[in-house]
Amino acid sequence: EAQVTQNPRYLITVTGKKLTVTCSQNMNHEYMSWYRQDPGLGLRQIYYSMNVEVTDKGDVPEGYKVSRKEKRNFPLILESPSPNQTSLYFCASSYGMYGTIYFGEGSWLTVV
Amino acid sequence: ILNVEQSPQSLHVQEGDSTNFTCSFPSSNFYALHWYRWETAKSPEALFVMTLNGDEKKKGRISATLNTKEGYSYLYIKGSQPEDSATYLCAFPVPNTGNQFYFGTGTSLTVIP
């Protein structure tokens, strides 16, 4: 089954404790992205990647890092999480530039 | 930051009513316009990717039109059903960036049985 898988789905963590949200897709898509969803603000893109080792900042990259060492994986790293990073996060992938976006199931992250 | 706006923010309709909502986007440097449907507790799913001015796409009772010259797209739902209750999102890819997108904040549709 074609899918984007992200983990963990739910996490409560403390300020400053580094965490990684993993993302993997099995559709051989070149393009992958991370988004965050906050009430009233819609989906905002954090980082995107056009292929292995090629990444770029989206609209809200501050406080996040990404890496794309393999085509299928695109982890999101919060080096020192803060409460304002409490949000619902989506990983996504697509085939071709600006192609249909396939979303993971979302990760609820709470930073206390 | 690009302005992608959706209206109305929310909508309540009776079962069987037809409804429509709007996405407006920058009309210069247009490449494509996406529509997604997002049900509560699920992830957004693609409805349409529209690329040509005057394009009209249809999926069952849902259809969409596109006007790239004036920078808007309409999504129509004919004969709304309770299962159509969801948030409908439009997304605008930023030209010449590879994969940067701006999403509207969505229209939340509730269909009352």
Side-chain angles (χ1 to χ4, degrees):
Chain A
E1 181 191 352
Q3 58 187 4
V4 180
T5 304
Q6 50 185 109
N7 283 293
R9 296 285 318 283
Y10 304 91
L11 181 65
I12 301 174
T13 190
V14 296
T15 299
K17 185 177 180 183
K18 180 179 177 180
L19 71 94
T20 299
V21 187
T22 63
C23 174
S24 181
Q25 51 95 2
N26 63 1
M27 294 170 277
N28 202 34
H29 287 167
E30 300 102 333
Y31 297 90
M32 297 186 75
S33 290
W34 276 101
Y35 294 87
R36 61 178 288 175
Q37 162 68 23
D38 302 291
L41 296 177
L43 279 168
R44 293 182 295 166
Q45 198 171 30
I46 303 170
Y47 270 94
Y48 59 95
S49 169
M50 287 77 80
N51 214 324
V52 174
E53 303 291 4
V54 183
T55 63
D56 208 345
K57 295 177 182 179
D59 204 25
V60 287
E62 296 79 19
Y64 304 95
K65 282 175 58 176
V66 292
S67 68
R68 188 97 182 268
K69 293 185 169 52
E70 303 167 284
K71 195 172 184 179
R72 64 183 290 126
N73 296 325
F74 191 44
L76 179 71
I77 303 156
L78 286 74
E79 292 271 3
S80 183
S82 62
N84 65 11
Q85 292 178 297
T86 292
S87 188
L88 172 60
Y89 291 86
F90 284 103
C91 181
S93 72
S94 57
Y95 177 74
M97 195 182 300
Y98 308 130
T100 299
I101 302 171
Y102 294 85
F103 289 90
E105 293 178 302
S107 294
W108 286 97
L109 173 63
T110 301
V111 184
V112 298
Chain B
I1 296 179
L2 297 181
N3 223 17
V4 179
E5 293 184 347
Q6 292 187 246
S7 62
Q9 190 173 356
S10 66
L11 202 50
H12 289 72
V13 301
Q14 293 289 331
E15 182 175 351
D17 286 351
S18 294
T19 187
N20 65 85
F21 17 96
T22 308
C23 173
S24 63
F25 51 85
S27 56
S28 59
N29 267 341
F30 177 85
Y31 188 90
L33 192 281
H34 293 213
W35 281 101
Y36 292 85
R37 170 193 158 90
W38 188 6
E39 290 181 73
T40 303
K42 294 187 178 180
S43 49
E45 290 185 343
L47 285 172
F48 307 113
V49 176
M50 309 182 79
T51 55
L52 298 175
N53 185 43
D55 217 2
E56 182 168 343
K57 297 214 171 185
K58 193 172 179 182
K59 197 175 201 175
R61 293 179 291 98
I62 304 177
S63 60
T65 61
L66 179 68
N67 183 324
T68 61
K69 293 184 180 180
E70 295 182 40
Y72 65 83
S73 176
Y74 292 137
L75 191 79
Y76 299 92
I77 303 180
K78 186 177 176 182
S80 304
Q81 299 297 308
E83 58 265 30
D84 295 328
S85 296
T87 297
Y88 292 84
L89 302 170
C90 65
F92 181 80
V94 181
N96 304 316
T97 60
N99 199 34
Q100 188 174 12
F101 279 82
Y102 280 96
F103 278 76
T105 52
T107 293
S108 173
L109 174 68
T110 303
V111 181
I112 303 161

